[in-house]
Amino acid sequence: MTTTQARTGPEQAPGAEPHGEHVALPKTPDAHTAHTAHPGHGPHGYSAQKDAHLKRLRRIEGQIRGLQRMVDEDVYCIDVLTQVSASTKALQSFALSLLEEHLRHCVAAAAEEGGTELDAKVAEATAAIGRLLRS
């Protein structure tokens, strides 16, 4: 088995989609990005803080890798759970930051435009808050 096969699974026919896996789509402008972009605001509310967000996500990724290492090294259960809690809090904090930026940017821009766009953005934010509360 090749290294690529080990990472991606069994070999598939060219052009076949993997079963049960997310397939990344090309980064081209589509109806969604054209619809959500606002003139003078950038494509998304978090865009202005993109570098800080990526740095934060890399730190969280490091925490998760630390969890893997702890399990691999048979670290005491409670110590692993403490790290799980810290990682979970870090992700929740990141999510709240994104939510705040969404409200300040996307929802505020929709409020300026008025109409059904505002209703749609408020519904999106409400659904996102619901998902965060359930997690």
Side-chain angles (χ1 to χ4, degrees):
M1 180 181 299
T2 67
T3 304
T4 304
Q5 285 176 309
R7 278 186 271 136
T8 61
E11 194 171 331
Q12 297 176 0
E17 289 188 17
H19 297 287
E21 293 182 22
H22 175 73
V23 177
L25 298 175
K27 302 275 185 188
T28 57
D30 60 11
H32 177 72
T33 54
H35 178 70
T36 58
H38 299 284
H41 295 280
H44 301 290
Y46 64 83
S47 294
Q49 301 297 321
K50 187 175 182 176
D51 289 340
H53 288 317
L54 289 171
K55 181 178 179 181
R56 193 171 188 181
L57 287 169
R58 286 185 195 101
R59 190 170 34 248
I60 294 168
E61 180 182 18
Q63 286 179 295
I64 303 304
R65 288 180 195 265
L67 277 167
Q68 293 171 336
R69 192 170 33 258
M70 291 172 83
V71 170
D72 186 50
E73 295 171 0
D74 294 318
V75 172
Y76 183 58
C77 311
I78 298 302
D79 294 338
V80 176
L81 288 170
T82 299
Q83 183 65 22
V84 167
S85 179
S87 300
T88 300
K89 295 282 187 201
L91 275 173
Q92 288 172 338
S93 177
F94 176 72
L96 285 175
S97 176
L98 283 181
L99 179 61
E100 180 181 4
E101 290 171 351
H102 176 71
L103 293 172
R104 290 184 187 279
H105 179 269
C106 301
V107 176
E112 289 175 9
E113 294 173 17
T116 59
E117 182 69 15
L118 175 59
D119 294 335
K121 292 296 180 188
V122 168
E124 274 181 344
T126 302
I129 292 167
R131 288 189 301 272
L132 288 172
L133 290 174
R134 286 189 295 273
S135 62

